């Protein structure tokens, strides 16, 4: 795996901005040219299969944006295939225990840090052009592993989860958290905000990077001020819709 610019930026303490990709390779490439730090190819809520996800990864590489895949579930096979395809990281939902966190962390790395299935004839190793020893070493060093904390059980067990080796980012999913607390969609409800703040504070204390998702720019500063470094805004589809509406409203005003 090549040097992971996203991982370097996060280690330097920089706030990095990304969004979810739902619209495919062209959207991924455009996000790169737009200057975003990273794009998360969404195989949980998106409709991608692995061949199409691989094309998104290629588009990311072309335009200079870091690529991760959000897998559909904490399945070691999905994690292995995502990184084999060349993604620089994986974002893993439904992690509710330290046991699951350890499972997915190990699935993202080769021995001795993990048990990722070993094959050098994959895109991540340039189809064996990179020697196996070099491929294994750089992959273990450079991969970014992001796990979702998005339910009450996960929050209760977060002190154990946060100590799992190989977890780079704890990502707080406010929408699923709100649902688990009985206030679905109310992401600014005090109960949701309080839980998120407690986890972010714990991350800062333990030296672990925290991340979250916001729908609109005006929500972002609140979480950045509290220490979030891995900040996701909307989706490619949401950004297109928002800007389209804004531009069309401006055009209609010309005719008023």
């Amino acid at each position: 795996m090549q040097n992971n610019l996203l991982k370097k930026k996060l280690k330097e303490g920089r706030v990095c901005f990304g969004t979810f990709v739902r619209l495919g390779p062209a959207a991924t490439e455009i996000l790169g040219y737009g200057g975003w730090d990273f794009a998360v190819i969404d195989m949980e809520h998106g409709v991608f299969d692995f061949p199409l996800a691989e094309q998104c990864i290629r588009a990311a590489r072309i335009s200079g944006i870091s690529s991760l895949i959000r897998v559909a579930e904490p399945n070691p096979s999905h994690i292995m295939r995502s990184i084999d395809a060349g993604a620089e990281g994986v974002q893993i939902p439904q992690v509710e225990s330290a046991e699951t966190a350890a499972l997915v962390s190990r699935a993202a790395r080769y021995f001795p840090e993990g048990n990722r299935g070993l094959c050098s004839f994959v895109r991540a190793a340039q189809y064996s052009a990179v020697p196996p020893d070099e491929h294994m070493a750089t992959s273990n060093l450079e991969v970014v592993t992001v796990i979702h904390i998005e339910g009450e059980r996960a929050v209760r067990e977060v002190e154990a989860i946060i100590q799992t080796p190989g977890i780079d980012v704890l990502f707080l999913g406010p929408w699923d958290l709100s649902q688990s607390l009985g206030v679905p969609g109310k992401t600014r409800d005090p109960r949701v905000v309080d839980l998120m703040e407690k986890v972010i504070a714990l991350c800062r204390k333990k030296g672990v990077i925290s991340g979250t998702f916001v729908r609109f720019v005006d929500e972002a500063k609140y979480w950045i001020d509290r220490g979030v470094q891995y900040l996701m805004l909307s989706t490619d589809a949401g950004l297109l819709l928002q800007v389209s509406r804004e531009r069309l409203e401006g055009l209609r005003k010309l005719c008023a």
Side-chain angles (χ1 to χ4, degrees), residues 155-230:
V155 172
R156 288 196 303 270
E157 298 195 24
V158 71
E159 292 213 31
I161 292 171
I162 208 169
Q163 297 179 56
T164 305
I167 300 302
D168 297 295
V169 180
L170 257 66
F171 182 86
L172 292 154
W175 287 79
D176 283 317
L177 273 174
S178 72
Q179 181 161 258
S180 77
L181 292 168
V183 285
K186 303 291 191 290
T187 58
R188 297 188 183 185
D189 185 281
R191 287 164 287 185
V192 178
V193 173
D194 182 60
L195 275 181
M196 291 178 64
E197 288 182 342
K198 287 178 179 176
V199 175
I200 292 166
L202 181 62
C203 285
R204 294 184 70 175
K205 180 180 178 182
K206 299 291 187 180
V208 175
I209 295 164
S210 62
T212 194
F213 171 90
V214 296
R215 290 190 69 187
F216 304 108
V217 170
D218 62 3
E219 301 172 59
K221 190 174 190 309
Y222 184 89
W223 297 114
I224 293 170
D225 287 347
R226 277 148 186 80
V228 167
Q229 279 184 250
Y230 182 95

Side-chain angles (χ1 to χ4, degrees), residues 7-244:
K7 194 162 192 173
K8 181 176 183 292
K9 290 176 182 176
L10 291 171
K11 283 185 173 181
E12 291 171 348
R14 296 166 62 179
V15 178
C16 295
F17 299 105
T19 190
F20 286 111
V21 170
R22 303 273 178 82
L23 300 180
T28 308
E29 189 175 358
I30 290 166
L31 290 168
Y33 295 138
W36 291 80
D37 295 300
F38 64 96
V40 178
I41 301 150
D42 193 355
M43 296 186 73
E44 182 186 22
H45 293 291
V47 295
F48 295 109
D49 56 16
F50 274 101
L52 184 55
E54 187 178 63
Q55 295 306 314
C56 292
I57 294 166
R58 286 193 174 97
R61 184 66 55 84
I62 289 168
S63 61
I65 187 172
S66 295
S67 64
L68 301 90
I69 288 183
R70 175 161 74 169
V71 294
E73 58 187 352
N75 182 317
S77 176
H78 295 344
I79 294 165
M80 177 191 70
R81 294 177 72 188
S82 298
I83 306 170
D84 280 356
E88 294 164 78
V90 280
Q91 192 156 318
I92 306 153
Q94 305 166 33
V95 176
E96 296 190 335
S97 67
E99 290 77 15
T100 303
L103 174 76
V104 300
S105 173
R106 291 182 63 77
R109 289 169 176 81
Y110 295 116
F111 180 87
E113 286 85 7
N115 54 14
R116 173 182 165 191
L118 177 56
C119 178
S120 63
F121 296 94
V122 294
R123 184 172 178 275
Q126 298 177 13
Y127 307 103
S128 76
V130 177
D133 286 349
E134 179 184 339
H135 167 62
M136 288 186 287
T138 57
S139 291
N140 281 6
L141 184 65
E142 299 294 343
V143 68
V144 172
T145 307
V146 182
I147 63 169
H148 283 220
I149 302 295
E150 51 193 356
E152 277 192 285
R153 180 187 171 193
V155 172
R156 288 196 303 270
E157 298 195 24
V158 71
E159 292 213 31
I161 292 171
I162 208 169
Q163 297 179 56
T164 305
I167 300 302
D168 297 295
V169 180
L170 257 66
F171 182 86
L172 292 154
W175 287 79
D176 283 317
L177 273 174
S178 72
Q179 181 161 258
S180 77
L181 292 168
V183 285
K186 303 291 191 290
T187 58
R188 297 188 183 185
D189 185 281
R191 287 164 287 185
V192 178
V193 173
D194 182 60
L195 275 181
M196 291 178 64
E197 288 182 342
K198 287 178 179 176
V199 175
I200 292 166
L202 181 62
C203 285
R204 294 184 70 175
K205 180 180 178 182
K206 299 291 187 180
V208 175
I209 295 164
S210 62
T212 194
F213 171 90
V214 296
R215 290 190 69 187
F216 304 108
V217 170
D218 62 3
E219 301 172 59
K221 190 174 190 309
Y222 184 89
W223 297 114
I224 293 170
D225 287 347
R226 277 148 186 80
V228 167
Q229 279 184 250
Y230 182 95
L231 200 287
M232 299 197 68
L233 171 70
S234 191
T235 68
D236 53 1
L239 293 170
L240 175 61
L241 178 62
Q242 181 184 358
V243 173
S244 294

